[in-house]
Amino acid sequence: MTPNSVRQPGQAQTMRIQRAANWVVTRLLRSPLAGGPGRSLILLHVVGRKSGKKYDVPVAYVRDGDELVIGSPFGWMRNLRTGEPLAVHYLGRPHTADVVVHTAADAVAADYTVICRGNKQFASFNNIRLDATGNPDTGDLRAAWELGARSARLRIR
């Protein structure tokens, strides 16, 4: 995405340096130094559902009670399955997480609302406007879902 290109409401941002940034963040989240960034980022170890290839995906999360809520419009989310345990690095240590994936519009909007309220950068990255009280625009949430957004709730073991 170029700086001058216009994103639709709900359309996630991509950066030219995304691969390099992910490489650095992945190593940081695996290290004992993960405490700072680990308060808002978790490293998922995702296995491709068709290819079987392993991917390390750093992703923003927001804590909601005993669960971590994540969301993304990108294709790697399709590799997460409800009921299938997921290997993660959380706060610098390896764990297993139980996963519940949401794909229905209302469930994704509810999870995105939790994430946007708790992480303004997530809202900005996904081009979701917030009102004066920090609530996301419902039209932008709907647009994000229409563009492929999914969400998941992780329970760390």
Side-chain angles (χ1 to χ4, degrees):
M1 172 151 301
T2 63
N4 295 328
S5 62
V6 177
R7 290 187 292 150
Q8 302 175 44
Q11 183 179 14
Q13 176 181 340
T14 55
M15 302 180 301
R16 286 186 201 154
I17 62 165
Q18 193 72 49
R19 181 172 284 173
N22 283 352
W23 185 88
V24 171
V25 171
T26 293
R27 270 116 194 107
L28 185 59
L29 291 174
R30 287 180 179 212
S31 80
L33 304 174
R39 283 179 266 170
S40 62
L41 296 171
I42 186 170
L43 182 62
L44 310 180
H45 305 292
V46 178
V47 178
R49 67 190 184 286
K50 292 180 183 177
S51 68
K53 187 175 176 181
K54 296 178 182 179
Y55 301 92
D56 290 333
V57 183
V59 63
Y61 73 86
V62 170
R63 180 171 283 288
D64 188 27
D66 292 338
E67 298 175 325
L68 306 180
V69 186
I70 64 170
S72 177
F74 298 115
W76 63 263
M77 278 290 288
R78 290 187 208 93
N79 294 309
L80 302 184
R81 298 277 189 248
T82 296
E84 289 185 13
L86 178 66
V88 302
H89 262 80
Y90 177 60
L91 298 176
R93 297 177 49 215
H95 293 274
T96 300
D98 296 315
V99 180
V100 175
V101 176
H102 295 139
T103 58
D106 290 344
V108 172
D111 283 346
Y112 263 55
T113 296
V114 169
I115 303 168
C116 288
R117 285 180 183 155
N119 184 335
K120 308 300 186 241
Q121 287 179 317
F122 177 87
S124 176
F125 182 84
N126 286 280
N127 203 24
I128 297 171
R129 293 168 291 185
L130 302 175
D131 67 17
T133 61
N135 291 312
D137 182 272
T138 56
D140 292 354
L141 293 174
R142 179 69 182 197
W145 177 79
E146 289 172 351
L147 290 168
R150 294 172 176 239
S151 61
R153 288 180 169 263
L154 310 176
R155 190 174 292 263
I156 305 295
R157 295 184 189 169

